[in-house]
Amino acid sequence: MAQVHLRDVVKNYGPLEVVHSINLDIADNEFVVLVGPSGCGKSTTLRMIAGLEEISGGEIFIGDNVVNDLPPRERNISMVFQNYALYPHMTVRENLGFSLKIAKRPQAEIDKAVDEAAEILSLTPLLDRKPGALSGGQRQRVAMGRAIVRHPDVFLFDEPLSNLDAKLRTQMRVEIKKLHQKVRSTIVYVTHDQVEAMTLADRIVIMRDGHIEQIGTPLDVFENPVNTFVATFIGSPPMNLLNGVVRDGAVVLEDGTTVPVPPGYQAREGQAVQLGMRADNVMPVGHSLPPTEHMAQIEMDVNLTEPLGTETLLFAELAGAEVQAKMLNPRPVEAGERMTFQVMLDKCHLFDAESGAALRG
Amino acid sequence: MKSLKLPPWLVLLLPAIIILAAVVLIPLVLSLYSSFTAYKLTRPDSLYRWIGTFNYEKAIGDAKFWAAFGRTVLLLTVALNLEMLFGLGLALMVSKVTRGQRALRTMMMFPMMFSPILVGFQFKFIFNDNVGLVNNALQSLGITDQAIPWLVDGNLAMFSIIFAEVWTATSVFAILILAGLYAIPKDPLEAAKVDGCTAWQSFRYVTLPFLMPFIYIAMAIRSLDVARAYDIVQIMTNGGPARRTELLWTLIGRTGYVDARMGYANAMGYISIFLAIFFTVFFFRKLTAARAELGMGV
């Protein structure tokens, strides 16, 4: 039993409230990623689950127990820190076995658990080294090994990859995913990198300013963002947002261009809205996927191109705003060229301009 | 006449060489030389009376010298360990203080601001058997009705000196260890908490290893200080009673300046230097090992 439940959890530092009454249910063996920009309260939330920060209000359950007042060592959790937090004066073997040694387990059991963990993480040849003699990726693996030897109820990861270079990060991301498949266990993972969140998570929790904005599977939050924040935070490049007003079932942009209201969305006549479309769904005619049912055509001037090989990112201008579009099977494009684009309307979104909330019909 | 042409590097180094020679080299060579003569301050011509290693042989065969040597080692061991323990305790407490920590840190340094001579006088008064504070307090509280001869009894006198020594220098340890406490990264301590450590275990397995380099630095500094202890002892007991608190340098000082036997005093001084060198080398070895342990490089 290793479900984690957060009930109206609040954190304040003096008069400053940083986490506002959040609720979250994490299932057994689920991989949940808390993601959001810096200062959104995701790390604080994780540290409250760990017991490293006191909870100012609400309740946290691990399994069936309220752990509000339990010190970290009684919560049966383990944590991987951003800066690895290895004990520099101990060898890798001692680092891995430390928690078991503290728990006064027999030496034979400690050795076995350490060897097992080292095996899983390919640390066996490094067991007698000190952390100072390891590379960043190796240290990260030791930190993860230290977490798995204890077979905790819950793994907590606090931005574990942010100190690694891009290539290593991709590699470790895969290893973490593999690790989760090998040692089925509940994982709560904090990151500010939406790619990490998308690739690792069973469910993503998107946070902003101490509130949870949306909880859902990666595809769900990608395809059905509840507001403009989630829409622009998840996905790369960020979703294009264009200001407009609804007239006769169509969105009239500031320069007069009209685009039909995307299917599945509803807006009042005259309502100020933002039309959201991802670059993947705006493509120049002749370079796009076969047409689908709901299509709109717009004309834009291309200002800048970013060739990526298999595709080219086009930076165009529409109604005073920058729009990013994608060209598959690219051909060379001159800056300033006027092109006709197809917009896949059924992949577009409509948000209220004032609140940012999605206008689902 | 062809002028003497010195190479430029020598010309540039010459000021430093002259100063070093005048301040360090010549006194060193002279004192070393004099330790092989029967030099007495009262008879300058004795400086030229070479007597070989006689002074050294005499010192090595002198029970008083070795008694003083042993006492100095004892003082070193006891005082350094007490200062370390008290300093560690003090630093740990001060590091937990949230308000007024600066003021506390400044106050901690007060004992170091007094001249050891004054500290000696102060404790001579405090431990005085007739008018001293300690006896007064003990008698007023009815704990004892007779005057305890703090500075007259051999063992008590040594205790009193250690007490004064610890009072002055505990803050050296406290401040260095406090600096160490501030330098400890927060993450391993949190990791230890999550790994299941109690407060004591976190201290034992994480905090202390991080502090060891700082403790050894303090030890190295203080061992040099205590190995040359002179002023406090000179004032409080003058090496008495009956040489029971005689340390190396009170003995050497008396031999050289009171008895005027400078050649012999220098010989004893050279033997004593090894004590200081030994402790310094010992603690630096320990320091290097502790730093290597932490992966801080050598």
Side-chain angles (χ1 to χ4, degrees), chain A residues 47 73 83 85 87-89 150, chain B residues 187 190 192 194-196 205 293:
Chain A
R47 291 168 58 83
R73 69 194 147 89
N83 303 313
Y87 310 118
H89 52 293
R150 298 173 52 205
Chain B
D187 284 5
E190 295 196 329
V194 174
D195 270 347
Y205 293 110
E293 181 95 328

Side-chain angles (χ1 to χ4, degrees), chain B residues 128-149:
Chain B
N128 184 291
D129 44 3
N130 287 321
V131 297
L133 283 179
V134 177
N135 275 350
N136 242 314
L138 289 178
Q139 284 166 359
S140 311
L141 292 169
I143 295 170
T144 173
D145 49 4
Q146 53 207 354
I148 299 171

Side-chain angles (χ1 to χ4, degrees), chain B residues 91-104:
Chain B
L92 286 173
M93 285 193 284
V94 170
S95 73
K96 296 285 175 205
V97 173
T98 46
R99 292 185 60 158
Q101 204 189 63
R102 269 162 181 277
L104 264 179

Side-chain angles (χ1 to χ4, degrees), chain A residues 61-80:
Chain A
F61 293 78
I62 296 178
D64 296 327
N65 308 318
V66 179
V67 295
N68 283 23
D69 298 322
L70 293 183
R73 69 194 147 89
E74 287 169 34
R75 297 189 180 197
N76 200 21
I77 43 143
S78 56
M79 185 155 169
V80 179

Side-chain angles (χ1 to χ4, degrees), chain A residues 10 23 32-33 79 98 156 176 342 346:
Chain A
V10 174
N23 285 287
V32 165
V33 175
M79 185 155 169
F98 184 67
L156 305 173
I176 290 177
Q342 285 183 317
D346 42 8

Side-chain angles (χ1 to χ4, degrees), chain A residues 135-292:
Chain A
S135 69
Q138 290 168 334
R139 287 181 206 186
Q140 191 56 61
R141 289 214 301 275
V142 176
M144 287 187 339
R146 198 171 56 178
I148 64 176
V149 287
R150 298 173 52 205
H151 299 290
D153 287 340
V154 184
F155 285 101
L156 305 173
F157 286 84
D158 189 6
E159 309 217 16
L161 304 184
S162 53
N163 280 1
L164 302 179
D165 62 59
K167 197 176 158 199
L168 207 49
R169 203 178 304 161
T170 318
Q171 208 177 316
M172 290 302 295
R173 211 164 64 203
V174 177
E175 292 207 28
I176 290 177
K177 193 144 196 182
K178 278 189 198 155
L179 183 74
H180 181 232
Q181 279 158 7
K182 266 186 229 170
V183 280
R184 301 299 309 179
S185 188
T186 311
I187 295 185
V188 186
Y189 186 107
V190 162
T191 180
H192 61 263
D193 179 353
Q194 55 95 15
V195 179
E196 255 171 56
M198 292 291 281
T199 48
L200 288 172
D202 292 331
R203 275 195 305 156
I204 294 184
V205 177
I206 298 143
M207 294 184 70
R208 177 173 59 162
D209 297 337
H211 293 283
I212 291 179
E213 297 285 331
Q214 189 171 3
I215 304 175
T217 63
L219 271 186
D220 188 32
V221 294
F222 183 79
E223 288 176 350
N224 304 305
V226 295
N227 56 28
T228 48
F229 174 75
V230 176
T232 48
F233 192 79
I234 297 290
S236 175
M239 188 186 282
N240 302 303
L241 289 176
L242 297 166
N243 289 318
V245 179
V246 174
R247 301 243 184 272
D248 299 328
V251 181
V252 182
L253 303 181
E254 280 164 3
D255 67 344
T257 313
T258 59
V259 179
V261 168
Y265 287 90
Q266 266 183 354
R268 282 182 280 105
E269 180 74 12
Q271 186 171 5
V273 294
Q274 283 191 304
L275 179 70
M277 44 194 192
R278 294 194 189 277
D280 315 65
N281 309 124
V282 185
M283 295 187 172
V285 172
H287 293 269
S288 56
L289 301 166
T292 53

Side-chain angles (χ1 to χ4, degrees), chain B residues 72-274:
Chain B
T72 308
V73 174
L74 176 82
L75 176 71
L76 257 171
T77 318
V78 176
L80 284 192
N81 279 301
L82 284 179
E83 285 167 19
M84 195 272 278
L85 287 178
F86 290 142
L88 181 61
L90 205 59
L92 286 173
M93 285 193 284
V94 170
S95 73
K96 296 285 175 205
V97 173
T98 46
R99 292 185 60 158
Q101 204 189 63
R102 269 162 181 277
L104 264 179
R105 286 206 305 258
T106 312
M107 261 154 40
M108 251 165 44
M109 300 183 49
F110 282 174
M112 293 159 65
M113 296 176 187
F114 296 109
S115 153
I117 301 273
L118 291 179
V119 175
F121 276 121
Q122 187 60 33
F123 278 95
K124 191 177 190 176
F125 162 67
I126 289 174
F127 284 115
N128 184 291
D129 44 3
N130 287 321
V131 297
L133 283 179
V134 177
N135 275 350
N136 242 314
L138 289 178
Q139 284 166 359
S140 311
L141 292 169
I143 295 170
T144 173
D145 49 4
Q146 53 207 354
I148 299 171
W150 291 106
L151 295 173
V152 181
D153 180 275
N155 293 327
L156 287 179
M158 199 64 197
F159 164 84
S160 308
I161 286 169
I162 290 175
F163 191 98
E165 200 58 63
V166 169
W167 182 85
T168 29
T170 291
S171 49
V172 176
F173 276 85
I175 282 162
L176 282 168
I177 292 175
L178 198 58
L181 281 174
Y182 290 139
I184 294 181
K186 226 178 66 193
D187 284 5
L189 281 172
E190 295 196 329
K193 273 192 206 171
V194 174
D195 270 347
C197 286
T198 58
W200 161 250
Q201 286 169 326
S202 298
F203 173 76
R204 165 73 186 75
Y205 293 110
V206 183
T207 308
L208 201 56
F210 270 107
L211 287 182
M212 284 324 279
F214 293 86
I215 290 177
Y216 286 129
I217 288 174
M219 286 272 192
I221 295 173
R222 283 292 301 154
S223 68
L224 284 175
D225 260 358
V226 182
R228 59 161 206 221
Y230 176 78
D231 22 32
I232 289 186
V233 184
Q234 183 65 28
I235 299 297
M236 283 177 71
T237 63
N238 191 15
R243 294 186 184 271
R244 286 293 191 75
T245 56
E246 185 89 292
L247 301 180
L248 277 175
W249 291 103
T250 56
L251 175 67
I252 294 167
R254 183 171 311 111
T255 309
Y257 298 113
V258 180
D259 303 350
R261 289 185 296 163
M262 198 42 104
Y264 183 40
N266 278 336
M268 289 196 289
Y270 270 97
I271 300 175
S272 310
I273 289 289
F274 285 109

